[in-house]
Amino acid sequence: MTSTDASPPPPNPPLRPTRQRRAVVEAMASFADFRSAQEIHELLGQRGEAVGLATVYRTLQRLAEAGEVDVLRTEDGEAIYRRCSDTHHHHLVCRACGATVEVEGPAVERWTRSIAGEHGYADVSHTLEIFGTCAACR
Amino acid sequence: MTSTDASPPPPNPPLRPTRQRRAVVEAMASFADFRSAQEIHELLGQRGEAVGLATVYRTLQRLAEAGEVDVLRTEDGEAIYRRCSDTHHHHLVCRACGATVEVEGPAVERWTRSIAGEHGYADVSHTLEIFGTCAACR
DNA sequence: CCACGAGTTGACAATCGTTCTCAATTGATC
DNA sequence: GATCAATTGAGAACGATTGTCAACTCGTGG
Ligand SMILES: [Zn+2]
Ligand SMILES: [Zn+2]
Ligand SMILES: [Zn+2]
Ligand SMILES: [Zn+2]
């Protein structure tokens, strides 16, 4: 090619390390259960690291896209977040206190893929969450 | 017991077969993918069986509680409904057209229960949905 | 056939989580 | 320090869902 070699490299705008961004990440590291954006926003306020609510929402979205945090939906549709390991896993959540355990299951991964394949579905992905009452809450 | 045998049976108010209720149930039988309350409300209007939006929401909730329909949450938190068989099952949904297949997996049921047990969780329940692109959409 | 009471309905207001707007700030670079 | 795009935050705007409440409707009994 001569001059029309304009390559279309994904112009992902570079993220910048701001006080707010740092504060949210640190806050996410301070608890192990799933929390709503509003709760996290409040927690930041208490910590003296006030961050605008809109920014909390934006940052949480970024982190979720980046796979830094996992997102779940409460029964009434509210999004709740939790910092998580970067490998694929699922959650075992206590209905009473929210205590969460990350769990893995190769068999399940295999099963979903095969059942989808049998029905002619491709590009398979899935969501799986387990709920129960933990020992401490009984 | 003599007189203090006042049993506390949940006084579930008896449901009444109204035109609206029937209309919603029939509408739910007319499609096989997941739809939002608003879409169902609109569908009813087109069918000449107009039903108030609030009533559609209320009816859908009742049906969901009764296990007559399954509820899912879109990625942005909107509730979507689908009439389903009454036995426990999961869904294989096409991301493009919404085509849905009900699937069962005894192995998965067993796995979730045992993994929860291993971690000391009781009263186990779970949610599992599989997404992919169906043959027709490829 | 009519009165009666609890269940229902629907138009509309009110919630509430989340996103949008946009002027002011800030971080990186030269 | 000048420059410019990325970022922020206060508040408005949105959109799905729920609450309100007077009018309505289905049994039931008289
Ligand atoms: Zn996780
Ligand atoms: Zn998985
Ligand atoms: Zn189903
Ligand atoms: Zn199951």
Side-chain angles (χ1 to χ4, degrees):
Chain A
M1 307 307 138
T2 53
S3 59
T4 56
D5 62 332
S7 54
N12 283 47
L15 292 217
R16 255 161 19 180
T18 66
R19 170 184 73 76
Q20 292 84 338
R21 229 99 86 176
R22 267 189 299 278
V24 172
V25 172
E26 280 172 36
M28 293 305 291
S30 75
F31 58 87
D33 50 345
F34 282 89
R35 306 216 181 162
S36 72
Q38 315 227 31
E39 291 174 327
I40 294 167
H41 169 255
E42 192 180 340
L43 175 62
L44 283 164
Q46 301 173 341
R47 288 184 152 218
E49 289 280 24
V51 174
L53 181 56
T55 300
V56 173
Y57 272 106
R58 282 185 293 237
T59 305
L60 249 17
Q61 285 177 178
R62 295 288 185 81
L63 292 175
E65 286 166 19
E68 299 271 325
V69 304
D70 279 352
V71 191
L72 239 56
R73 289 275 173 185
T74 63
E75 202 144 347
D76 51 292
E78 193 180 3
I80 48 181
Y81 308 80
R82 174 181 191 272
R83 85 155 170 354
C84 274
S85 58
D86 50 3
T87 58
H88 177 79
H89 61 269
H90 298 286
H91 306 105
L92 173 54
V93 185
C94 174
R95 267 188 292 264
C97 70
T100 299
V101 180
E102 294 187 9
V103 298
E104 288 178 71
V108 177
E109 305 305 317
R110 222 173 299 126
W111 181 73
T112 58
R113 220 171 292 130
S114 78
I115 201 95
E118 286 171 29
H119 288 277
Y121 283 62
D123 299 317
V124 187
S125 67
H126 62 267
T127 67
L128 164 58
E129 310 302 332
I130 307 175
F131 302 95
T133 312
C134 79
C137 288
R138 200 151 14 93
Chain B
M1 307 306 138
T2 53
S3 58
T4 55
D5 63 330
S7 55
N12 283 46
L15 293 217
R16 251 156 26 176
T18 66
R19 171 185 73 76
Q20 290 86 339
R21 229 102 85 171
R22 268 190 298 278
V24 171
V25 173
E26 280 172 35
M28 292 305 291
S30 75
F31 58 87
D33 50 345
F34 282 88
R35 306 218 182 160
S36 72
Q38 315 230 29
E39 291 174 326
I40 294 167
H41 168 255
E42 193 179 341
L43 174 61
L44 283 164
Q46 300 173 340
R47 289 186 153 216
E49 290 277 26
V51 174
L53 181 56
T55 300
V56 172
Y57 272 106
R58 283 185 293 238
T59 305
L60 249 18
Q61 284 175 179
R62 296 289 186 81
L63 291 175
E65 286 166 18
E68 298 271 325
V69 304
D70 279 353
V71 190
L72 239 56
R73 288 278 172 184
T74 64
E75 203 145 346
D76 51 293
E78 194 180 4
I80 47 181
Y81 309 80
R82 175 181 190 271
R83 86 153 171 358
C84 274
S85 58
D86 49 4
T87 60
H88 178 80
H89 62 268
H90 298 286
H91 306 104
L92 174 54
V93 185
C94 174
R95 267 188 292 265
C97 70
T100 299
V101 181
E102 293 185 9
V103 298
E104 287 177 70
V108 177
E109 305 304 319
R110 222 173 300 126
W111 180 74
T112 57
R113 219 170 293 132
S114 76
I115 201 96
E118 286 171 27
H119 288 276
Y121 283 61
D123 299 318
V124 187
S125 68
H126 61 266
T127 67
L128 165 57
E129 310 300 333
I130 308 175
F131 302 95
T133 311
C134 79
C137 288
R138 202 152 13 94

